[in-house]
Amino acid sequence: MSIYYHNDSDHSLSWSMVLEDFINFRKSQGISDRTIQDYRNYISTFFKRYPDSLTSEHKLKTNSFSFLASANTPSTYNLRFEYLSIFFKWMMDEEQISKYPLRGLKKRRNPGRFIPVDVKIIQQLIKLPDLKSFAGLRDYALILTTLDTAIRPGEALQLLPSDVNFLGSEILIPSHIAKTRRARLLPISNPVKVALKKLMRARHPDWGKDIPIFCSCSGRFFQGNSWGHRMANYSEELGYRITPYQLRHTSATLFLRNGGNAMALQKMMGHTTMEMTERYVHLVEGDIRDQHAKASPVQLLEPSRNRVYKI
């Protein structure tokens, strides 16, 4: 293993230098800014918690195990595992370490926790934005767009006016903003087109074409955490917590419940495999079974009877 420092005072500098080399390598591969930030966050968190990890390969291995063991959910564990795994494999390619520290470990089975929002609550939600203000128009259009297309919040916030084809009733997710780096087309319904046209007409005339559709009131990039805060405020008014990602989950489940095809949903959501999409399918299938147990026509026809059990 390459030694990046010789005393304790060099710890922070050493791991940060290695991380920057890795980040630059991933940037050269065209990885999205959001994914780059995730790499930085997860790997930095690991080294800040275990700054002596590069003193030996044994330390790197045991600290990695401790870091993963402290994850309190399968989702957190899998994210940590994924980002560390790619980072460590890069270190091996660079001959900075000789052994893969996570050997023997694998992702945990994660059943997912998708919580779709009831349609009645969604109907209340879309009445809350103040359509007389730019912020309200933006929020309303963003909510409708997410529900209509199941677009990721991070992708929606980077869309430009030129990405909307009103004549073809579709939105293009360019490869450079798509999480998977694969461009895709999303059909949009007429109410969404109307909302987007109103929002674009409300834009300041000095804003250029490079200003995102869902921008701030001053024409700046609308941050994901700001959108989260806006949704939190609406949630407080509703008395029901809704996050931007729950709108995506709700779109997916409603699409399937209304007869949508799972393959079409996979393409809409931008999943590279059917594995993630199938979690929505299983959720809806469970919902159908519950509803069938409550409302089976045969059970309605068959009167309930008192039963005598043998003593």
Side-chain angles (χ1 to χ4, degrees), residues 4 17 28-29 41 59 83 95 108 119 128 163 169 197-199 226 238-239 288:
Y4 294 97
M17 289 173 61
S28 70
Q29 294 181 313
N41 290 342
K59 276 284 187 183
Y83 288 111
E95 298 183 348
R108 295 178 182 173
V119 172
L128 294 180
D163 294 326
S169 299
K197 286 180 179 179
K198 287 182 178 178
L199 179 61
S226 298
L238 285 172
I288 292 173

Side-chain angles (χ1 to χ4, degrees), residues 107-287:
K107 285 188 175 182
R108 295 178 182 173
R109 185 175 181 276
N110 182 10
R113 191 168 180 267
F114 303 140
I115 306 176
V117 183
D118 187 85
V119 172
K120 292 182 180 179
I121 295 177
I122 292 294
Q123 290 172 336
Q124 296 176 43
L125 171 64
I126 61 178
K127 294 178 182 178
L128 294 180
D130 179 11
L131 301 186
K132 295 180 180 179
S133 69
F134 179 82
L137 276 174
R138 177 202 60 216
D139 295 353
Y140 175 76
L142 184 49
I143 290 170
L144 286 191
T145 300
T146 306
L147 290 171
D148 199 37
T149 65
I151 190 173
R152 295 181 179 92
E155 294 172 337
L157 296 179
Q158 297 182 70
L159 289 174
L160 299 178
S162 57
D163 294 326
V164 182
N165 178 1
F166 287 107
L167 188 61
S169 299
E170 60 189 14
I171 290 175
L172 168 67
I173 308 296
S175 59
H176 67 276
I177 70 171
K179 183 178 180 181
T180 60
R181 279 300 188 256
R182 295 180 181 178
R184 66 187 191 278
L185 286 172
L186 300 177
I188 54 175
S189 62
N190 193 59
V192 173
K193 289 198 294 182
V194 172
L196 289 174
K197 286 180 179 179
K198 287 182 178 178
L199 179 61
M200 291 188 190
R201 285 198 296 268
R203 291 164 65 90
H204 194 282
D206 290 341
W207 294 352
K209 296 180 180 180
D210 294 334
I211 302 297
I213 299 171
F214 305 110
C215 61
S216 71
C217 296
S218 59
R220 296 182 180 179
F221 182 76
F222 190 47
Q223 300 288 342
N225 58 354
S226 298
W227 179 221
H229 290 319
R230 296 285 295 184
M231 286 301 300
N233 292 335
Y234 292 132
S235 297
E236 190 173 344
E237 289 187 62
L238 285 172
Y240 186 98
R241 184 172 180 269
I242 305 176
T243 66
Y245 250 91
Q246 273 183 290
L247 295 176
R248 173 171 157 90
H249 300 327
T250 300
S251 173
T253 52
L254 289 178
F255 180 85
L256 292 173
R257 285 173 184 167
N258 290 330
N261 182 277
M263 291 292 291
L265 180 63
Q266 178 191 355
K267 292 180 179 179
M268 283 175 54
M269 301 194 78
H271 293 157
T272 53
T273 68
M274 275 296 292
E275 183 179 356
M276 279 294 294
T277 313
E278 284 174 352
R279 292 159 71 178
Y280 291 98
V281 175
H282 295 326
L283 177 67
V284 172
E285 287 176 345
D287 177 67

Side-chain angles (χ1 to χ4, degrees), residues 3-8 10 14:
I3 302 299
Y4 294 97
Y5 51 78
H6 302 283
N7 56 64
D8 292 342
D10 289 334
S14 299

